[in-house]
Amino acid sequence: MSWTDERIATLKKMWEGGSTASQIADELGGVSRNAVIGKAHRLGLKSRPSPVKAAEKKKAAPKPKPAPKPVAKKAAPRPAPTPAPAPAKPAAKPAPSADAAIPSQPLPDKRPDLPKIVSVGPGGFLRQGPGDQQPPIPPAPPRRLVPAKPSPEIADKTSLLDLSDKVCRWPMGHPGEPDFHFCGEAVNPGFPYCVEHCGRAYQAQLPRGARRPPPPLPFGGPRVR
DNA sequence: CCCTGATTCGC
DNA sequence: GCGAATCAGG
């Protein structure tokens, strides 16, 4: 297996999305977890909450004066850009007598700060049937759209990075090919594909013997692994 | 043990 | 450049 643009794109996307190297490797197929990590490093991607590095201790890193302010600011005192300190504690909390002490709920400080789940199907499209497709997907990753537009050739094509739940995810061409992209048409509401490709994806089962020529599967068939 | 990512090093 | 082997923390 070689690192094609598409595979690298997927690697980057998933890596930055928080997927583990194992997940990425499994998704890409044909590569090991180590290969993914190695590639990620070579690409300049790095770190992220790594269990091993998390235990990094601070040693002799004296940085008491973080005041490298090269910009000589004139008489324009900044109006406190970063206030918002935690409400510490209001000195004295007037306890209402010795009774009627309504025990404030401990409130288990739950923070929905879950890691983004990046679930990319084989080839980068999300599979779902007409019947079962609803809640799980919406959490559209608040991915930040970056100026990543490397390939001018496919500038007007729908790339893996352009997929959303509003555009047709039908793959055009094959992953690995330089012009591989996705349909990108407006989806048939409720489906991951546009009307035309829904017709391709969801075909009524015909009686035996009356089969039509093989409907082209995405990518030309399931991946062999 | 399992998992994780980091690093090394022969290819 | 690649990735298995190895290392090291959780």
Side-chain angles (χ1 to χ4, degrees), chain A residues 2-225:
Chain A
S2 60
W3 286 104
T4 63
D5 287 351
E6 316 307 336
R7 290 165 68 78
I8 292 176
T10 303
L11 163 57
K12 281 184 180 175
K13 184 178 180 179
M14 292 185 73
W15 183 272
E16 290 166 9
S19 300
T20 67
S22 296
Q23 291 173 327
I24 300 173
D26 184 67
E27 179 55 50
L28 290 172
V31 289
S32 67
R33 179 182 70 93
N34 286 319
V36 169
I37 295 176
K39 183 59 181 177
H41 281 196
R42 271 172 249 125
L43 284 172
L45 307 173
K46 56 182 173 300
S47 237
R48 283 195 304 151
S50 113
V52 60
K53 193 182 179 183
E56 182 68 22
K57 292 183 183 68
K58 235 180 193 182
K59 52 169 70 174
K63 195 186 177 189
K65 286 285 183 182
K69 288 273 176 74
V71 177
K73 52 180 173 182
K74 306 243 157 75
R78 193 176 297 176
T82 313
K89 72 174 177 181
K93 189 168 190 174
S97 302
D99 74 296
I102 298 174
S104 57
Q105 286 297 78
L107 276 182
D109 183 38
K110 52 156 77 174
R111 311 186 56 177
D113 208 41
L114 305 176
K116 299 163 192 157
I117 303 297
V118 173
S119 179
V120 183
F125 70 93
L126 309 178
R127 281 190 256 126
Q128 25 184 300
D132 63 8
Q133 48 167 330
Q134 215 59 318
I137 322 92
R143 183 105 322 108
R144 190 175 47 140
L145 296 180
V146 296
K149 211 67 184 176
S151 301
E153 287 104 316
I154 59 174
D156 58 336
K157 303 285 201 328
T158 300
S159 78
L160 176 64
L161 300 164
D162 297 326
L163 290 180
S164 76
D165 55 344
K166 292 183 175 53
V167 301
C168 179
R169 299 184 178 92
W170 190 270
M172 312 289 279
H174 294 72
E177 291 178 356
D179 64 333
F180 173 67
H181 61 284
F182 295 88
C183 173
E185 284 295 311
V187 293
N188 184 9
F191 295 87
Y193 306 122
C194 67
V195 176
E196 177 190 338
H197 288 134
C198 273
R200 295 248 219 155
Y202 311 117
Q203 300 194 18
Q205 189 76 2
L206 297 174
R208 285 194 175 275
R211 291 286 167 78
R212 299 179 53 71
L217 292 171
F219 315 123
R223 183 169 20 162
V224 285
R225 206 178 293 189

